[in-house]
Amino acid sequence: MGIAIRGWSSVLAAATLAGCAGQGTPIGGGGDAASKVYVAPGQYDEFYAFMSGGFSGHVTVYGLPSGRLLQQIPVLSQYPEKGYGYSEETKALLNTSFGFIPWDDTHHPQLSTTNGEHDGRWLFINGNNTPRVARLDLTRFETEEVIEIPNSGGGHASPYLTENTEYVVSATRFAVPTPQADVPIEGTKFGGLLSFVKVDQASGHMSLAFQVHMPGFNYDLSRAGKGPSHGWSFFSSYNSEEAKTLLEKNASQKDKDFIAALNWKQAEQCVADGKAKTWPARYAHNIRGEDGIARTEMKTSTTVLEPSDCPGLVYFLPTPKSPHGADVDPTGEYIVGGGKLATVLPVHSFSKMQKAIADQAFDGEIDGVPVIKYEAVNACEVQNPGLGPLHTEFDARGFAYTSVFLSSEIIKWDVKKCEVVDRVPTYYSIGHLLVPGGDTRKPDGKYVIALNKITKDRYLPTGPELTQSAQLYDISGDKMQLLLDFPTAGEPHYAQAILASKIKDKQLRTYALEANKHPQAVKAEKDVKVVREGTKVHVYMTAIRSHFMPDNIEGVQVGDEVYFHITNLEQDWDVPHGFAMMGATNGELLLMPGQTLTLTWKPDRPGVFPFYCTDFCSALHQEMQGYVRVSPKGSNVKISYNTGQ
């Protein structure tokens, strides 16, 4: 009993101290927090949460409310565990106009939508460094397509979707010369591009439809309209000073920056009317074919609209200072800006914006873009939002939740009354937050997740680099309640969550062997072979519990390029096979049932070198191995291989 009393004393003391940390709900809430996040063995989570991997280039998948890590999906990154970016089938997904770039900084996952609701078809995510948009198939949790965004300097406000996934939208973070040129940095007018990528509704394939040439601000985040505001996209921007040096000082001189409101239906009409220009632009479009092999098409031009050539295309909404978010509520009426340096949270009205446009209630223009008067578009200002409000999402009860960076908190506020009704501290320095469905017309909001930038004392220390931190809060009641801390991989800038019921039963379990269209697939052991073509050796191999076929290969020479084309013959769910070759300087392979992948190996010395299965597959997994004999270059050892016949 003494131990139990001491334990509860510690818990109560911690809760009391935590309650003093902020003015809102005590940290940890009631004693039922653990039961609210407990998912019993063999049971499933209610939500899939897709988090950006930040500097890892991945998408990570977690179950909610448990916080259990379910999967890491490589996107704009090489990943030796799966051979992604190393296998011949996936290398091309990382091609760009700059060459092969096997990393990027992924920020903003976006689930595809129909009628403004998550539909579970695809997930899109951006590359921030080399501007790219990737599309993932949610029946396989694999990257299927990557398109580079030309004329852009940083793809941060990306890849935001319109209400029916008509477009993926991407905006320039770093203003650059447009088109690019060797010019002096100071004294040269830079520009920014807002890019609209068309999505084929049957295949999901993307194509760059048009770009809008904008003033050289830094475009930060975006949301599309919904309901009455469908057909519009909204982009936050900062650095309206167009400073190019010491931005922490020079890009925060003005009291207001802007949210850009762009009418993409008007853009479509202007393009159809021939008002756009064609700019030369070299950019890569990478798509996996039906055979599972990714290929690159290099594009050479893009369609660009100037706002001055397309009246009614775009307007600026003044927004206090250095806005980060530009978030649209479920009704499509309110656009919320989060000024990182502002003392209020501005809420704009779409209907007031329409009236202001009709009344010509403008306060001048910038590079052909009319500036609407602040009082003509602003619905209200939320007072006392905390220090550094960033990003807002919504529930289905008329409340909004805003992350507040400097004061490390989440505020809950009534959208119509513009009043804060609750606030809770976060640990520490929250960036984005997530409400499941919180950017849709019908939020599933039971929870809000804080994606924190600093972890410090929340977990066991691991040297100078600490894990990233997410915190799960219950928002089903009047007061927010902290339920769970859980660590995350990479730096999750943003996340989206979808009801598991929308995609769980759509998951592909195996690749049907009879439908395998890979040109090097071998669908039966009797068909395996090893073929020399000059200095290239092609090994057509199979894998099945618990052997490779062939498993002994001779006649390879130093300096050959050896292509292992391996087909996993299994047709049982959850029986992948791995393949690793001693001396391979790229990666290994992880082959799903029925799948064919290719690994290239270039032996640099004579000898006998083993290969083996890296994924435990059966009681005889250890026996799943083989050898390749490598002879000196020019030797007369003929190609031979063992098939057990």
Side-chain angles (χ1 to χ4, degrees), residues 553 556 558 601 603-610 627-632:
I553 301 167
V556 173
V558 171
W601 175 52
D604 66 350
R605 66 197 69 176
V608 176
F609 301 97
Y627 294 99
V628 178
R629 175 187 173 188
V630 179
S631 301

Side-chain angles (χ1 to χ4, degrees), residues 86-100:
Y86 295 105
S87 73
E88 297 301 313
E89 290 76 12
T90 58
K91 282 180 181 178
L93 288 168
L94 300 175
N95 287 338
T96 75
S97 63
F98 298 93
F100 180 78

